[in-house]
């Protein structure tokens, strides 16, 4: 029996896993969720003996049940290969008594690679399984890291094209350079004069446009999404929580069955939702600590039960978390409403019409596992400097938000459960903010000089992803108004 996926806005709409991967978003604007979360079909202690590929297969086969063993193993093998600079794929490092799950060893040195290395394979396999005749056009809005990771994953993949929209003034210098130097005939990168939410809303609108869909179909194209709303991103992210648990067991840091708190620097709520699914699968996870930056809409939500996006959008030193509409939260809302599509739909309507909604106290009670926290840019810089000075370990700005929130939670709650912090980017990707946090004297230096200095100071090699953009030519220089996205898409596709 296949595990089916249904829309968070309409229970009647059910699809298989491969169809959900192919479609990205449900036709009613909802997100696909599994009809139930499967439970791990072996004892957790076996995780200690499993490598990344084995863990990935054991977890993913439970969700993606209409993929054959051969198909799934092929996808896993193609994704987690030499693109990663370590065979461990996602190493766990210990610093100052906390565990950092390094999710930045892939092609673009941010955690998005964990899912976006495999998504193109899951998607092209799904296209074959479902006799999709059209060329797949990946349409993506990015706050910086998704864009490059998706471009790297889909570049020159036959049968696909990819268009990425990013906020022209809302990403780091390295992030922008990574994207605009992207090679591959099927790639298109466009800056928009707006923020990430504008880019994301614009993309959602294009997805929902029926007339456009028909026009594309006539021209031999169909849209799909590489954004974290795609179930094909969520499922591969569950894997590394199972894997990290196995690593902690193997190194003797924890006993089998011992709970571990997970702290996740959060933007679109995809990564932490994966941790929640891992917990529901039976991985012994205690608290799920959701760390925000100054765009603390999620912190306020967990404090009050009110989600309110009506506030200023703040550009911070952790740009991949500069988000006011956390798309994946809808999956949690749906579940907290008792898998009730109608309630969820009403709340999402309120969000799009009034910019806010309030959940019931019953729903809030079901969210006890989640704890919100936030760190200001100043807190974040201090945390980078503190950990570097005490241990020599250098965090990127996103991970530092989580690390700071984690320290504060431990101090205030006296909860001595071991903490696993999702380390979502290499410090090299945000070298300027990181180096300025460590010492003000770095503020005058140019980006690549800072990168060289970071290498010297941390004793780590400069990642390939950085070396390759040092002298790369800019191949994409288009910048448009935020309401010109449809025209830009049509221009690229030649329709
Ligand atoms: C995308 C991203 C995040 C936020 O992850 P979500 O799944 O969107 O919550 C955090 N840190 C970095 C470096 C990212 O790229």
């Amino acid at each position: 029996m296949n595990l089916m996926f249904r829309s968070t806005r309409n229970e009647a709409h059910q699809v298989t896993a491969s169809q959900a991967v192919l479609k990205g978003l449900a036709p009613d604007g909802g997100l696909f969720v599994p009809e139930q979360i499967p439970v791990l079909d072996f004892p957790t202690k076996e995780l200690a003996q499993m490598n990344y590929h084995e863990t990935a297969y054991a977890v993913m086969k439970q969700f993606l049940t209409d993929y054959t063993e051969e198909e799934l193993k092929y996808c896993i093998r193609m994704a987690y290969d030499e693109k990663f600079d370590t065979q461990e794929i996602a190493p766990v490092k210990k610093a100052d008594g906390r565990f950092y799950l390094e999710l930045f060893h892939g092609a673009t040195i941010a955690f998005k690679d964990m899912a976006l290395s495999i998504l193109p394979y899951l998607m092209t396999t799904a296209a074959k399984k479902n006799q999709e005749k059209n060329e797949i056009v990946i349409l993506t809005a990015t706050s910086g890291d998704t864009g490059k990771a998706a471009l790297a994953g889909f570049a020159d993949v036959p049968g696909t094209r990819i268009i990425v929209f990013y906020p022209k003034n809302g990403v780091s210098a390295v992030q922008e350079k990574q994207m605009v130097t992207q090679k591959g005939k099927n790639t298109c990168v466009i800056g928009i004069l707006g923020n990430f939410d504008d880019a994301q809303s614009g993309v959602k609108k294009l997805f929902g446009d029926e007339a456009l869909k028909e026009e594309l179909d006539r021209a031999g194209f169909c849209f799909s999404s590489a954004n974290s709303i795609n179930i094909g991103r969520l499922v591969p992210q569950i894997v590394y929580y199972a894997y990290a648990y196995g690593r902690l067991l193997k190194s003797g840091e924890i006993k089998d069955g011992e709970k571990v708190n997970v702290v996740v620097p959060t933007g679109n709520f995809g990564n932490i939702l994966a941790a929640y699914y891992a917990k529901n699968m039976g991985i012994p996870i205690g608290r799920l600590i959701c760390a925000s930056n100054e765009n603390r809409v999620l912190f306020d939500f967990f404090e009050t039960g009110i989600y309110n996006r009506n506030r200023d959008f703040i550009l911070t030193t952790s740009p991949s978390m500069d988000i006011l509409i956390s798309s994946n939260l809808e999956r949690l809302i749906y579940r907290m409403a008792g898998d009730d599509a109608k309630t969820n739909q009403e709340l999402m309507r309120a969000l799009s019409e009034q910019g806010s909604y309030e959940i019931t106290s019953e729903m809030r009670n079901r969210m006890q596992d989640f704890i919100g926290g936030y760190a200001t840019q100043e807190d974040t810089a201090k945390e980078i400097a503190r950990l570097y000075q005490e241990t020599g370990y250098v965090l990127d700005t996103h991970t530092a938000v989580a690390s700071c929130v984690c320290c504060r939670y431990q101090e205030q709650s006296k909860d001595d459960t071991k903490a696993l912090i999702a380390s979502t980017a290499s410090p090299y990707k945000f070298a300027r903010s990181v180096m300025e946090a460590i010492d003000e004297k770095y503020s005058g230096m140019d980006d690549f000089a800072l990168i060289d200095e970071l290498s010297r100071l941390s004793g780590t090699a400069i990642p390939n992803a950085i070396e390759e953009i040092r002298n790369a030519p800019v191949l994409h220089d288009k910048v448009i108004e935020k309401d010109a996205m449809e025209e830009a898409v049509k221009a690229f596709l030649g329709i």
Side-chain angles (χ1 to χ4, degrees), residues 8 33 269 273 276-277 298 301-302 305-307 326-341 343-348 351 357-360 363-364 366-367 370:
T8 50
V33 283
F269 210 75
L273 188 76
Y276 172 72
Y277 278 22
L298 286 165
F301 172 67
F302 286 116
I306 299 170
Y307 192 97
S326 284
S327 304
N328 270 296
L329 185 66
E330 178 168 348
R331 288 191 164 107
L332 184 69
I333 296 293
Y334 170 81
R335 195 159 161 90
M336 297 300 124
D339 289 352
D340 180 357
T343 304
N344 175 64
Q345 194 181 23
E346 279 160 16
L347 294 173
M348 294 306 129
L351 179 63
Y357 61 82
E358 179 167 12
I359 61 170
T360 61
M363 286 172 72
R364 278 188 75 184
R366 295 199 185 119
M367 284 194 207
F370 286 89

Side-chain angles (χ1 to χ4, degrees), residues 109-112 143-146 175 228 233 237 264-273 298 320-321 323 326 328 396 398-399 423-426 429-430:
I109 57 174
F111 101 96
K112 306 291 195 291
S143 56
D145 291 331
T146 295
Q175 285 178 318
S228 63
R233 288 226 4 225
Q237 291 177 181
V264 186
T266 296
N268 232 345
F269 210 75
N271 199 358
I272 194 166
L273 188 76
L298 286 165
S320 303
M321 298 158 67
I323 289 176
S326 284
N328 270 296
D396 99 287
H398 303 74
T399 311
S423 180
T424 51
S426 159
K429 199 155 190 178
F430 302 94

Side-chain angles (χ1 to χ4, degrees), residues 165-472:
F165 293 101
Y166 72 95
K168 175 66 190 161
N169 299 314
V171 300
S172 83
V174 171
Q175 285 178 318
E176 182 171 35
K177 186 95 196 264
Q178 278 189 310
M179 287 191 280
V180 299
T181 57
Q182 178 64 46
K183 293 183 202 138
K185 275 205 196 66
N186 66 337
T187 66
C188 171
V189 180
I190 300 173
I192 69 157
L193 299 169
N195 62 33
F196 170 68
D197 284 330
D198 296 323
Q200 179 159 264
S201 307
V203 163
K204 275 200 175 159
K205 217 163 115 195
L206 294 176
F207 273 118
D209 185 335
E210 282 300 319
L212 180 62
K213 191 175 163 191
E214 279 167 28
E215 205 177 332
L216 284 171
D217 189 56
R218 281 197 297 276
F221 296 110
C222 64
F223 280 147
S224 190
S225 167
N227 273 96
S228 63
I229 49 171
N230 193 312
I231 200 80
R233 288 226 4 225
L234 191 57
V235 172
Q237 291 177 181
I238 303 168
V239 172
Y240 47 74
Y241 290 106
Y243 178 74
Y245 197 81
R247 294 307 90 188
L248 291 173
L249 275 177
K250 189 176 176 143
S251 60
E253 295 285 0
I254 57 169
K255 291 195 218 43
D256 185 33
E258 181 176 342
K259 282 193 176 160
V260 173
N261 288 340
V262 169
V263 192
V264 186
T266 296
N268 232 345
F269 210 75
N271 199 358
I272 194 166
L273 188 76
Y276 172 72
Y277 278 22
K279 178 175 169 128
N280 281 269
M281 284 191 89
I283 308 295
I285 291 173
R287 301 277 194 192
L288 296 147
I289 302 171
C290 174
S292 300
N293 64 23
E294 283 160 41
N295 295 292
R296 41 177 260 194
V297 60
L298 286 165
F299 169 76
D300 292 342
F301 172 67
F302 286 116
E303 287 294 291
T304 63
I306 299 170
Y307 192 97
N308 186 359
R309 64 147 304 182
N310 300 314
R311 60 180 78 202
D312 289 337
F313 187 99
I314 303 166
L315 291 175
T316 73
T317 50
S318 46
S320 303
M321 298 158 67
D322 290 346
I323 289 176
L324 294 179
I325 303 175
S326 284
S327 304
N328 270 296
L329 185 66
E330 178 168 348
R331 288 191 164 107
L332 184 69
I333 296 293
Y334 170 81
R335 195 159 161 90
M336 297 300 124
D339 289 352
D340 180 357
K342 194 161 163 289
T343 304
N344 175 64
Q345 194 181 23
E346 279 160 16
L347 294 173
M348 294 306 129
R349 187 180 306 130
L351 179 63
S352 88
E353 285 168 9
Q354 289 116 43
S356 72
Y357 61 82
E358 179 167 12
I359 61 170
T360 61
S361 54
E362 199 188 348
M363 286 172 72
R364 278 188 75 184
N365 286 338
R366 295 199 185 119
M367 284 194 207
Q368 303 282 345
D369 287 346
F370 286 89
I371 291 177
Y374 77 100
T376 65
Q377 298 181 76
E378 198 189 333
D379 298 335
T380 307
K382 278 193 186 141
E383 178 63 2
I384 292 170
R386 179 193 74 82
L387 200 65
Y388 169 65
Q389 275 141 21
E390 288 176 15
T391 71
Y393 188 61
V394 182
L395 299 175
D396 99 287
T397 44
H398 303 74
T399 311
V401 167
S403 191
C404 175
V405 166
C406 180
C407 294
R408 232 179 254 156
Y409 167 75
Q410 289 174 329
E411 260 165 44
Q412 286 167 7
S413 67
K414 307 277 183 264
D415 180 352
D416 59 3
T417 308
K418 296 195 176 90
L420 179 74
I421 297 170
S423 180
T424 51
S426 159
Y428 286 96
K429 199 155 190 178
F430 302 94
R432 173 161 305 281
S433 304
V434 169
M435 294 303 282
E436 287 176 5
I438 289 174
D439 196 324
E440 280 173 11
K441 74 177 183 205
Y442 293 120
S443 60
M445 281 162 77
D446 84 62
D447 285 305
F448 281 97
L450 285 174
I451 282 163
D452 292 331
E453 188 65 9
L454 173 55
S455 175
R456 199 187 58 74
L457 190 126
S458 64
T460 57
I462 299 174
N464 199 22
I466 297 288
E467 286 298 359
E468 75 190 8
I469 58 166
R470 218 185 257 265
N471 301 308

Side-chain angles (χ1 to χ4, degrees), residues 112-171:
K112 306 291 195 291
D113 289 325
M114 301 306 297
L116 281 162
S117 318
I118 195 166
L119 183 68
Y121 297 100
L122 293 175
M123 204 174 263
T124 46
T125 303
K128 272 193 218 119
K129 294 176 86 66
N130 292 283
Q131 287 93 39
E132 175 61 61
K133 59 179 188 350
N134 287 328
E135 189 168 349
I136 299 168
V137 181
I138 302 294
L139 209 55
T140 288
T142 183
S143 56
D145 291 331
T146 295
K148 179 61 188 187
L151 287 161
F154 281 95
D156 293 325
V157 172
T160 70
R161 297 203 195 188
I162 172 162
I163 306 172
V164 170
F165 293 101
Y166 72 95
K168 175 66 190 161
N169 299 314
V171 300

